[in-house]
Amino acid sequence: MEKSRRILAYGILAIVILILALTGIIVAIMHIPIEGSSGDIAVIDLDGTIYSRGTEEGLFSDYQPGVEDYIEWIEDAQEDDGTKAIIIRINSPGGEAIASEKLAKAIKEASEKKVVVAYVESMAASAAYQAASSTDYIVAEKQSLVGNIGVRMEIIHYYGLMDDLGINVTTIKSGEYKDIGSPTRPMTEEEKEMLGSIVNESYDDFVSWVAENRNMTLEETYKVADGRIYSGSQAKKAGLVDMVGTEEDAIDIAAEMAGISGEPELYEYGGKSSGFLGMKFNDALYSFGYGLGKGLAETSVEETSPSYGMYF
């Protein structure tokens, strides 16, 4: 009798999982944007750290869009005949150098076809400011944080801890600099200079981009691009933003620049989801179905990351 009950319970559980998975697929289909769904102004949320690839969504974790998501939304809005202007709503501390450059170029290309306005709500620092500088006009809240223009490379070292623990590492390498940035040994001054030259080259490109898009001279830009962070009102004085204002101001500016008469209709793209527990029911089912299918289809692959990277 007990065995029969267990079999029945497992059978019911399997049916429930199957129903939820199928429901997730159906909801996923429902989530596909309908062609022509747009508004006078497209609003794209640039929220969180800028990465090349978005983070995975789980039962209790958020999905963070990657730069490819942002570029896709920008291109959709750019190609939509019903959309007259684009607003990039920014709440970001910056991110990866290469991802940031891709995003800035995509925004710049969009601004050559349609009006693009940046609205800095809480923060547009480093890479996020590079994105903002690529637009036609920047509106920032008075108490927002703007700037932090610069490049950094982080290298983690733990050879001191290894010495304390009595751990030794033997490195066999093909060339003198093959293990540059290794966390298991101190860096030489020559190696620091080599990596520093890469950082400085990237920094010069960053400054040149800002100078060109903000109609500033290189000398003017270098003076304000020393890594410091400005408030919205300070950034206005430094020439890094065009107006201190609210999101409503950004909407009004975008509508005026795009020649939109009357009350503009807004259409929002993307954003960060809040995980399974914070979702609406349909979104939760979609997440469950997607996660189940992905888990069944893929094998686990262990990934290793480099000990250093370059960030805006």
Side-chain angles (χ1 to χ4, degrees):
M1 176 67 73
E2 184 64 28
K3 183 177 180 180
S4 298
R5 288 178 179 175
R6 285 202 303 270
I7 293 174
L8 178 60
Y10 289 144
I12 293 174
L13 179 61
I15 292 172
V16 170
I17 291 175
L18 180 60
I19 291 174
L20 287 173
L22 292 174
T23 305
I25 294 172
I26 294 172
V27 173
I29 294 173
M30 293 171 62
H31 274 62
I32 298 174
I34 300 173
E35 189 173 349
S37 295
S38 63
D40 300 314
I41 299 177
V43 180
I44 297 174
D45 268 318
L46 178 53
D47 188 12
T49 306
I50 301 170
Y51 293 113
S52 296
R53 301 175 66 178
T55 59
E56 293 294 341
E57 181 177 50
L59 291 179
F60 304 98
S61 61
D62 294 347
Y63 170 72
Q64 171 66 48
V67 72
E68 296 303 327
D69 295 309
Y70 293 126
I71 291 175
E72 181 180 352
W73 298 335
I74 291 168
E75 290 177 345
D76 284 347
Q78 176 183 325
E79 299 301 327
D80 193 319
D81 293 334
T83 299
K84 301 297 187 295
I86 301 171
I87 290 178
I88 311 292
R89 184 194 292 133
I90 305 176
N91 295 285
S92 171
E96 297 173 351
I98 294 176
S100 304
E101 290 180 350
K102 288 181 179 180
L103 178 59
K105 289 177 181 178
I107 294 174
K108 181 64 177 177
E109 289 176 4
S111 72
E112 293 172 355
K113 295 185 178 181
K114 295 188 176 178
V115 171
V116 183
V117 173
Y119 163 59
V120 183
E121 186 171 32
S122 64
M123 177 182 289
S126 202
Y129 180 73
Q130 185 182 28
S133 71
S134 308
T135 65
D136 299 305
Y137 199 90
I138 304 175
V139 178
E141 293 282 352
K142 182 179 180 180
Q143 299 303 328
S144 64
L145 300 178
V146 181
N148 193 221
I149 300 170
V151 183
R152 78 181 194 275
M153 179 180 290
E154 294 183 349
I155 301 173
I156 300 173
H157 292 287
Y158 44 77
Y159 54 83
L161 177 61
M162 293 172 62
D163 289 341
D164 293 340
L165 297 176
I167 299 174
N168 297 314
V169 174
T170 299
T171 301
I172 301 172
K173 54 187 179 180
S174 59
E176 181 180 357
Y177 304 109
K178 181 58 182 174
D179 65 339
I180 188 171
S182 170
T184 63
R185 66 170 179 82
M187 292 183 66
T188 66
E189 289 301 318
E190 184 181 8
E191 289 172 332
K192 290 179 182 178
E193 290 178 6
M194 291 172 62
L195 295 181
S197 68
I198 296 174
V199 170
N200 290 333
E201 181 180 319
S202 183
Y203 171 62
D204 290 339
D205 288 343
F206 192 169
V207 171
S208 296
W209 181 274
V210 172
E212 179 181 350
N213 288 283
R214 294 297 303 164
N215 294 316
M216 299 168 67
T217 66
L218 282 174
E219 184 179 2
E220 291 171 334
T221 309
Y222 275 114
K223 285 182 179 180
V224 298
D226 57 0
R228 77 181 69 182
I229 295 179
Y230 303 86
S231 68
S233 56
Q234 291 173 342
K236 172 67 167 64
K237 294 177 182 178
L240 296 178
V241 305
D242 298 293
M243 176 183 182
V244 175
T246 64
E247 184 169 9
E248 288 70 26
D249 292 322
I251 294 171
D252 291 341
I253 290 292
E256 181 181 349
M257 292 178 68
I260 300 171
S261 58
E263 187 72 19
E265 180 183 351
L266 305 182
Y267 181 73
E268 299 212 14
Y269 282 83
K272 183 192 293 183
S273 74
S274 57
F276 185 87
L277 294 182
M279 294 179 184
K280 296 178 181 178
F281 181 69
N282 282 349
D283 293 334
L285 289 176
Y286 166 64
S287 176
F288 181 88
Y290 173 80
L292 178 65
K294 187 176 179 64
L296 292 174
E298 295 184 352
T299 58
S300 176
V301 178
E302 182 178 346
E303 296 182 354
T304 58
S305 59
S307 59
Y308 54 91
M310 193 154 62
Y311 304 90
F312 281 3

